[in-house]
Amino acid sequence: GTFQIRSGLRESGVTFDLSNITTRMISPNGDGKNDRVLFLYDNPNNIGVEGKIYDLRGAYVAAMQTGPQPNSLQWDGSMNGQVVTSGVYIYQIQGEGKIFNGTIVVAR
């Protein structure tokens, strides 16, 4: 699926929000359909952005990788090169002192 984080310039500065969410479920089975989750974001100040994936117990699963286009992050549903088990996972994206959390469902 594709997620998008956008920023807008407001009097209080740059703020991020999630928009254009097409799916929150991935099926990393190699068929080319919903094999990864992609996050797109605006980065007007060219800041460092990082993303991490956790399981529901809060255990670290994986770091997101740079996506296929500028200002994007992606996760392919794997941990240490192996596809994770089906379930709900938490994403955390950090940038410019802001943190965004949400969930992704992995269906196998």
Side-chain angles (χ1 to χ4, degrees):
T2 300
F3 294 80
Q4 190 170 59
I5 299 174
R6 294 184 178 204
S7 67
L9 184 58
R10 301 193 190 345
E11 289 181 23
S12 62
V14 176
T15 59
F16 293 98
D17 64 77
L18 291 171
S19 60
N20 295 331
I21 299 172
T22 58
T23 184
R24 291 184 186 261
M25 185 170 74
I26 62 172
S27 58
N29 57 11
D31 68 356
K33 297 178 183 173
N34 295 322
D35 285 335
R36 64 188 171 131
V37 60
L38 180 66
F39 296 86
L40 303 171
Y41 53 90
D42 290 330
N43 195 0
N45 296 325
N46 201 27
I47 56 166
V49 176
E50 67 176 18
K52 296 179 182 175
I53 304 292
Y54 299 91
D55 66 17
L56 285 179
R57 296 172 297 153
Y60 174 79
V61 173
M64 291 184 199
Q65 302 299 313
T66 301
Q69 55 199 25
N71 295 325
S72 66
L73 293 171
Q74 66 181 354
W75 180 53
D76 63 0
S78 69
M79 175 182 179
N80 298 324
Q82 301 292 320
V83 176
V84 297
T85 59
S86 295
V88 178
Y89 292 83
I90 299 165
Y91 67 82
Q92 184 177 77
I93 298 174
Q94 296 182 24
E96 202 170 73
K98 297 170 180 67
I99 299 174
F100 295 92
N101 295 301
T103 57
I104 301 165
V105 175
V106 175
R108 293 184 55 195

